[in-house]
Amino acid sequence: MAETSTADQQQQESQQNLQEPEPVFSPSAFAADMQRRTRKQNNFDQIEADLPDPQKLAAASAHAVTNLTSGFTTRLSLSGLLGRLNPFGGRAVTRGDAVWLLDNTAYKTGRFSSWEAEFVAAVFEEEPRSHLVDAVAGVARVLGIADDAEERKTIQERLIPFVWDVRMAKTVTVAQKGSRKSIKLGPTGFNGISSNVMQVASHSKGSLVDATAGNLPSGIPGLLGMQTYYAGPTGWGIISDIDDTIKVTTTSDPIGILRETFVEEPRAVTGMPELYKAIDGILKTDTPWFYLSASPYNLYPFLREFRDKHYPQGTLVLRDTSWKTIAGLLSALTMGTEEYKVDRMKKINRWLPKRKMIVIGDSTQSDPEAYGEIYRTFPGWIRLILIRKATDTAMFGLGEKNEPARFEKAFKDIPKEAWHVFEDPSECVEIVRATVKQGDGHSRAEEGDHMYGQCRGGYSK
């Protein structure tokens, strides 16, 4: 009886196992778990708690706004929160403001549609308040930098955008070179940023058109010039991560992030400038580049200068989640990066759905999971995934991030020839060349089939 009972029990357990479905793989959950364990292992929470908080430091200067009436303060807060939905339309930039205009990419949503582009502008106070000194001292203390060290000057220069007060409900006017029509941007939202999709003047695809802020009071500081790249609807495109893919950031080490951001001269990852130069030469002139990073917009001037020095021109796509917080830099780079990158790539896909994309990232964060998810979501859009396997422990943190099982899971149901993990960037040149040759051959064949169908009066997909 005991044997029969045991056999029955084993049969029941076997049937239960057959009935239980295999857990569905969630790229975002998998990436979030790795990031959580990386943060715990490397003590991110404690480092963030030790960093100075500009908002608390600014409390000492709160008397500066006490002369405002409560009614005015309420209207200001409401207009800022409304952002671009503000029925009052915002207020023009005035003396005391600083303005950033961010480079962008123009696109066409249809064959006969007009060019349009998403314009992003940021407006801040002109000068940081006195609490900048306290913020510099706090960061230097966490990094173990002496009071009289030369590095403090660099920290202060790079820290300014993290302690600036944002300007809400502000508008900026932009004029493209050669165009008589001006473009009004804004109003800015509670984070000091405005985002407006606007029609732009017609230019040939592949053009790079300058624009400048107009109608500003003299002496307004900031980034008052920008460039718009005109991307035709078809051809190739590049989406590249920044941190630890093309720039050394050490994203798994909180102290490393702070040093590479606020102290060290920015360094290109060995071999990546040469790879990107080679890719730029392989592809045709009408090729938009997107640099998609979890770094916050506070670092835009810093990263734009780095891009201009080492890599092809392209649109920087950054996060807007860490204004007025230094600890937010660490959080932005280590929390929710998979969801954020997937969301931004979906936006790029809406702009350029017929492009053939090559996406490049690394193993330190969630690039494999994000790229794999987008590959499966938009079949045929991504043609090649290149993942740099970081070998510096400060970059990847957990050894499992470089395990083959991680990549196999991230790229499930994706053809092996469509993704490649590398350590030496030079090995990717021929892979890109072969992918582009194959992709261009398929495109010509499809065009030929389409023309043949038209000539016969039939329907061709």
Side-chain angles (χ1 to χ4, degrees):
M1 291 292 293
E3 293 181 359
T4 304
S5 177
T6 301
D8 291 342
Q9 184 177 358
Q10 289 176 344
Q11 184 177 6
Q12 290 176 358
E13 290 177 354
S14 177
Q15 290 176 346
Q16 289 176 355
N17 292 334
L18 289 174
Q19 292 173 356
E20 293 179 359
E22 182 181 346
V24 177
F25 173 64
S26 170
S28 60
F30 182 82
D33 178 65
M34 281 197 303
Q35 291 175 325
R36 178 187 58 78
R37 288 185 287 115
T38 298
R39 286 177 57 85
K40 182 177 181 180
Q41 174 180 289
N42 293 329
N43 208 22
F44 270 78
D45 288 344
Q46 184 58 56
I47 299 298
E48 289 170 352
D50 291 342
L51 286 169
D53 184 344
Q55 297 189 56
K56 290 183 179 179
L57 294 174
S61 303
H63 67 276
V65 296
T66 57
N67 293 330
L68 295 176
T69 67
S70 59
F72 178 80
T73 304
T74 301
R75 289 195 299 271
L76 176 61
S77 301
L78 177 61
S79 63
L81 290 171
L82 286 172
R84 61 194 178 112
L85 299 178
N86 178 13
F88 302 105
R91 298 160 292 136
V93 167
T94 57
R95 292 186 183 277
D97 294 341
V99 175
W100 288 359
L101 299 178
L102 280 57
D103 297 339
N104 61 5
T105 298
Y107 54 89
K108 287 186 173 184
T109 55
R111 183 177 179 184
F112 299 106
S113 61
S114 301
W115 289 99
E116 59 185 44
E118 181 182 42
F119 284 80
V120 177
V123 184
F124 315 92
E125 65 174 348
E126 181 178 354
E127 295 291 342
R129 301 187 189 278
S130 59
H131 56 265
L132 173 62
V133 176
D134 297 322
V136 172
V139 172
R141 183 185 67 254
V142 170
L143 294 177
I145 294 175
D147 293 344
D148 58 349
E150 188 70 20
E151 291 96 330
R152 279 178 171 254
K153 294 180 180 179
T154 304
I155 294 175
Q156 177 170 315
E157 178 184 342
R158 296 183 188 173
L159 198 59
I160 287 175
F162 286 84
V163 300
W164 264 339
D165 283 327
V166 298
R167 297 301 201 201
M168 300 181 292
K170 288 284 186 170
T171 61
V172 183
T173 300
V174 175
Q176 284 190 307
K177 186 177 181 180
S179 176
R180 297 180 180 179
K181 183 180 179 182
S182 61
I183 303 170
K184 184 179 179 180
L185 309 180
T188 54
F190 70 93
N191 56 4
I193 297 176
S194 66
S195 175
N196 307 87
V197 176
M198 309 292 289
Q199 288 191 0
V200 292
S202 181
H203 288 275
S204 58
K205 61 182 182 179
S207 298
L208 190 62
V209 179
D210 293 329
T212 55
N215 301 322
L216 294 178
S218 61
I220 292 289
L223 303 175
L224 305 183
M226 59 170 292
Q227 293 182 314
T228 297
Y229 182 85
Y230 281 71
T234 60
W236 290 88
I238 303 292
I239 297 176
S240 170
D241 175 53
I242 295 178
D243 299 291
D244 291 329
T245 295
I246 63 174
K247 174 189 167 294
V248 175
T249 304
T250 62
T251 49
S252 293
D253 176 12
I255 297 298
I257 292 173
L258 295 173
R259 290 201 66 89
E260 294 294 342
T261 302
F262 296 120
V263 179
E264 304 294 343
E265 186 69 20
R267 297 175 290 155
V269 172
T270 302
M272 295 304 286
E274 293 80 4
L275 171 60
Y276 280 42
K277 183 178 180 180
I279 293 175
D280 198 33
I282 293 171
L283 299 175
K284 297 178 180 178
T285 53
D286 177 25
T287 302
W289 290 68
F290 297 93
Y291 295 95
L292 172 59
S293 172
S295 292
Y297 271 120
N298 314 59
L299 294 177
Y300 180 81
F302 174 71
L303 293 176
R304 190 178 74 163
E305 182 179 353
F306 171 79
R307 178 208 65 190
D308 290 344
K309 184 176 181 180
H310 297 285
Y311 296 101
Q313 194 280 341
T315 298
L316 290 167
V317 183
L318 308 177
R319 297 182 90 161
D320 60 359
T321 56
S322 67
W323 300 112
K324 298 288 290 179
T325 166
I326 301 167
L329 166 66
L330 304 183
S331 300
L333 287 170
T334 57
M335 299 176 67
T337 59
E338 198 273 349
E339 298 95 327
Y340 157 74
K341 291 188 175 183
V342 165
D343 177 74
R344 294 303 185 269
M345 283 189 284
K346 287 181 178 178
K347 176 182 284 189
I348 296 172
N349 176 266
R350 290 196 297 271
W351 296 345
L352 302 169
K354 295 182 180 179
R355 284 271 174 174
K356 300 183 288 286
M357 307 302 292
I358 297 173
V359 297
I360 308 170
D362 63 83
S363 63
T364 66
Q365 298 174 299
S366 59
D367 293 339
E369 289 73 29
Y371 292 159
E373 182 172 343
I374 289 296
Y375 186 103
R376 290 183 290 267
T377 301
F378 303 109
W381 190 54
I382 292 179
R383 298 302 178 92
L384 178 64
I385 301 171
L386 296 175
I387 298 296
R388 174 182 171 270
K389 184 167 75 172
T391 55
D392 185 337
T393 305
M395 290 185 181
F396 65 80
L398 299 177
E400 66 193 74
K401 291 182 179 179
N402 285 337
E403 291 295 328
R406 185 240 178 135
F407 302 120
E408 292 288 347
K409 185 175 291 186
F411 302 133
K412 183 181 179 181
D413 299 326
I414 298 176
K416 180 61 180 175
E417 61 271 17
W419 60 275
H420 179 70
V421 179
F422 66 93
E423 293 183 36
D424 181 2
S426 65
E427 69 189 54
C428 298
V429 176
E430 290 307 315
I431 295 173
V432 171
R433 196 187 308 276
T435 299
V436 171
K437 182 178 180 180
Q438 182 182 36
D440 288 344
H442 287 167
S443 297
R444 285 192 294 269
E446 290 172 359
E447 290 174 2
D449 290 344
H450 179 69
M451 292 299 296
Y452 178 74
Q454 287 184 326
C455 291
R456 290 180 58 86
Y459 172 74
S460 177
K461 293 184 179 179

